[in-house]
DNA sequence: CAAGAAGGTCACCTGCAGGTAACCCGGTCA
DNA sequence: TGACCGGGTTACCTGCAGGTGACCTTCTTG
């Protein structure tokens, strides 16, 4: 049991890559949208502060999950999108999605309910 | 983008179930061994304190991932094993394992190296 | 030329997951 | 009868992920 090189090491790595309150959201937005401006992100994810979001984006970039791309230098437009690695991770996560929907539908529904962020005063895009 | 009910809610639920420094290890030990005494766990996971391990086990139990079973009342033997839900989660995590091994082999190797917990004075079981 | 907008930094604060160490309880055995 | 063992609790402490709000920089526009 001790020496058996239990194969959860990779799991740890994967979870570390996902550790961060907003990374999953970011990942999924990018997974479904391919291309997002940072500003758009922190308009779409209503409750995160610039600083924190940036931190997480940096970490994800460092982890090779996402790619940062500055387009025209003015007005400053910075796009983020998934790398291949990131896409692969997204794909792997689909299994977790499925698991949750199958085995914990109630909690999923709960989150959906909260997630309504109902006021959202403003632009519907 | 705002109303699209992005399907990451389930992901959040799944990650919440895994949130806890030691849960992944526990999960994987149980995944591969079916049946472990709590004492054995905190001998095998060298650096965790009783309290914390217990906390995590409780949470996992509450989440329905694991089942607690007391056997003979003396000497107190408490076995933990995965529920169906837990097993399913383990299975879903295999995808993450694979992802890490494919996309971040270096880090996986790092963890393997640290994980050697080389002294482990004692029983090889 | 002042105001505004996008992207980002900086200094500072806070809550809580995780950690430590001592203690409890029931029972056994030497 | 008291030391020990497995399982578990309790009181207390700490680090750091995450949060807040002001500020900077580069450019445009009225």
């Amino acid at each position: 049991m001790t020496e058996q090189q239990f194969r959860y090491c990779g799991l740890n790595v994967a979870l570390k890559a996902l550790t961060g309150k907003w990374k999953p959201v970011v990942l999924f937005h990018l997974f479904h949208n391919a291309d997002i401006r940072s500003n758009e992100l922190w308009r779409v994810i209503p409750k995160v502060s610039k600083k924190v979001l940036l931190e997480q984006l940096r970490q994800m970039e460092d982890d090779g999950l996402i790619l940062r791309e500055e387009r025209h230098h003015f007005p400053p437009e910075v796009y983020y999108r998934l790398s291949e690695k990131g896409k692969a991770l997204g794909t792997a996560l689909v299994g977790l999605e499925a698991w949750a929907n199958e085995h914990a539908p109630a909690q999923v529904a709960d989150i959906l309910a909260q997630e309504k962020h109902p006021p959202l005063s403003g632009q519907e895009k």
Side-chain angles (χ1 to χ4, degrees), chain A:
Chain A
M1 173 157 307
T2 295
E3 27 37 30
Q4 80 181 38
Q5 288 335 25
F6 28 77
R7 296 87 87 212
Y8 84 97
C9 319
L11 177 58
N12 265 353
V13 173
L15 290 177
K16 207 168 296 168
L18 289 167
T19 283
K21 195 163 170 186
W22 307 99
K23 285 183 192 174
V25 212
V26 170
L27 200 65
F28 261 72
H29 275 293
L30 293 180
F31 195 63
H32 293 306
N33 290 288
D35 224 14
I36 304 197
R37 300 253 305 282
S38 56
N39 221 352
E40 223 173 320
L41 266 178
W42 60 57
R43 224 178 289 123
V44 154
I45 306 179
K47 312 213 45 160
V48 70
S49 66
K50 291 199 229 186
K51 195 205 83 174
V52 174
L53 183 53
L54 253 302
E55 270 172 18
Q56 313 242 337
L57 288 171
R58 287 278 147 74
Q59 290 172 25
M60 293 173 79
E61 209 191 334
D62 291 349
D63 287 342
L65 298 180
I66 63 176
L67 302 168
R68 212 185 86 106
E69 182 187 353
E70 309 194 6
R71 295 208 183 147
H72 25 343
H73 192 252
F74 207 86
E77 285 193 352
V78 178
Y79 285 79
Y80 292 94
R81 65 198 156 85
L82 290 189
S83 65
E84 284 311 310
K85 190 174 171 182
K87 283 180 203 165
L89 182 55
T91 310
L93 291 177
V94 170
L96 284 191
E97 264 293 302
W99 174 85
N101 288 324
E102 185 175 347
H103 292 275
Q107 298 171 58
V108 175
D110 277 7
I111 296 206
L112 254 175
Q114 302 164 19
E115 211 72 43
K116 279 279 172 58
H117 34 75
L120 191 71
S121 42
Q123 79 322 329
E124 228 60 63
K125 180 341 176 359

